[in-house]
Each structure stands twice: as C-alpha cells, then as structure tokens.
Amino acid sequence: MSSSEKKFDLDYLHIKLSAVYEKSSRLDMDSYINAYIEFNKFFGLMGTVFGFVSSDVTSKLEILQAFRQGPNGQYFETIEDMIMYEEKENKFSDSKYISGSRTLLRLHRALLFIALFLEELFQLKSDDKLSGVCQKTYSATLGQYHPWIIQKAAIMAMYALPTKFGLLQRIKGPNETEEHYAELLPKAVNAMKEVYNKTQKLYQDHNILELP
C-alpha cells in the first residue's frame, strides 16, 4: 500500500526523513517536504487538537513547494542552497519577501516537538493517556514560540487525546501490528533527530535561528 493510499505511513516517513541527509552531504529539500506531508497526516489523526498545527504546516509546505517549482527552484534544491541564496540576496531583511528559510524554521521547530513526543509515546504503556506527555513536550518546545492564548487553548485541547493504544489503532494499517510500530518508531525518531540536529547546526552557523 503506497503512502497516498493510507492515512499515515511510518515506514514511508522514515524513508523520506533518512533521504533528507543520506542523498548527499547536503539536506535535500524535496525529501524534507515529502516527510512533512506525511507528518501532516499524523496531525490529522491526532484530532482537532492539532488542527491549528496542521493548517499552519500546510501553508508553509505550499510556500516551499512554490519555491521549488518556481523560476529560482535550483536555489532551493537543498536547505543549504536556500539559506545561502537568501543570505546572498539580502532576503532576510526584505519585509516584502516571503523567506523560505524563515518558513522552514517554523517547520524545524515543530519537528523537535514531534520527535520528543513520539519518543515519549514509545515509553508509555498501552492504556496510558497521551495528554500528559503531549502537554509537557509541547510546553518545552513548540509552545515557546506561541502566544499565551494559543498555548492555553492547545494545552486544554490535549486533554481530549486518546491512549497510546487508541492512537495506534488510528495510525496502523489493517495488516500492521503494534510490535511493528514498537520496532520502527525508535528508528523514525532517530531519523527525526538527525534531521533536526543537522538543520539546527546549519541555522546556527548562519546565525538565523531567531529569524522573526
């Protein structure tokens, strides 16, 4: 079953995340976008609590896809290419320009939240609720960049999250077992962290981790 034919495919996500840094010494943009498209399916399965995240991710992916398909697409083949192009062209200080680097930075921040949440999920028992670990992880990562009113609404909505068992029932295919996910989830989380750490260093080296 292909990724487009099912709600969420952890195997496909793992492959695309690994491809971000395994294709070459640079971070492949198309693989990053494809991985995030899969992430968005996961957000949809989490329910309305992640509706605001999903819609935000969708809009940012559309921006990055437009850059890749546009007349300057060659400057957006890798994350490194994008940053160096926008830096050279002084795009970071152009208020009329929608920056690809700034757009991807928002996805980058969300990636840490997803990685740490799924890492915590792996440690839970089958009947444990997800709300506590989700609230803790959100507050320590993505919530740091959200206004107080959004933080409060998100934390409250997370009380409606299911148990670990309930989530696995939503995301796994009819022929997939919990054992399969228990084996694959740590590998996917490691790939997420690898992408996050490499992107973090790249942004840090260019001193753009705090782009407004």
Side-chain angles (χ1 to χ4, degrees), residues 60-204:
K60 287 173 173 48
L61 288 175
E62 288 173 350
I63 291 170
L64 294 178
Q65 287 171 316
F67 276 127
R68 280 294 290 127
Q69 296 162 9
N72 293 318
Q74 72 271 24
Y75 298 118
F76 294 84
E77 287 185 7
T78 70
I79 298 176
E80 288 90 338
D81 291 338
M82 173 182 68
I83 291 174
M84 288 188 289
Y85 167 72
E86 294 190 339
E87 199 171 49
K88 181 182 177 182
E89 298 296 323
N90 296 315
K91 296 296 188 181
F92 298 146
S93 57
D94 185 351
S95 60
K96 296 180 180 179
Y97 176 77
I98 299 176
S99 166
S101 302
R102 182 180 289 109
T103 299
L104 191 136
L105 177 60
R106 273 53 180 177
L107 297 177
H108 171 67
R109 291 168 178 171
L111 180 59
L112 181 61
F113 162 64
I114 302 165
L116 296 183
F117 171 65
L118 290 178
E119 188 172 50
E120 292 278 355
L121 171 68
F122 180 66
Q123 306 297 328
L124 295 177
K125 296 177 181 177
S126 184
D127 58 350
D128 284 343
K129 288 275 288 181
L130 300 180
S131 54
V133 296
C134 191
Q135 290 165 341
K136 180 182 76 171
T137 307
Y138 169 79
S139 296
T141 57
L142 199 54
Q144 299 289 317
Y145 303 99
H146 289 161
W148 177 82
I149 192 165
I150 292 180
Q151 291 182 43
K152 186 174 181 180
I155 291 293
M156 289 299 295
M158 287 172 191
Y159 283 110
L161 288 173
T163 61
K164 177 182 178 180
F165 175 80
L167 179 62
L168 287 177
Q169 293 306 302
R170 293 181 188 179
I171 66 176
K172 69 184 186 70
N175 299 318
E176 295 173 335
T177 64
E178 289 187 39
E179 290 75 19
H180 171 73
Y181 271 81
E183 179 181 345
L184 185 58
L185 192 56
K187 296 177 182 178
V189 168
N190 285 339
M192 291 175 210
K193 287 184 174 181
E194 191 73 18
V195 171
Y196 177 84
N197 289 335
K198 288 179 180 296
T199 307
Q200 180 79 1
K201 185 178 186 307
L202 183 59
Y203 272 72
Q204 195 168 32

Side-chain angles (χ1 to χ4, degrees), residues 9 13-14 22 43 69 109 126-127 153 166 173 196 210:
D9 191 329
L13 175 62
H14 179 228
E22 288 182 348
F43 291 142
Q69 296 162 9
R109 291 168 178 171
S126 184
D127 58 350
Y196 177 84
E210 300 301 327

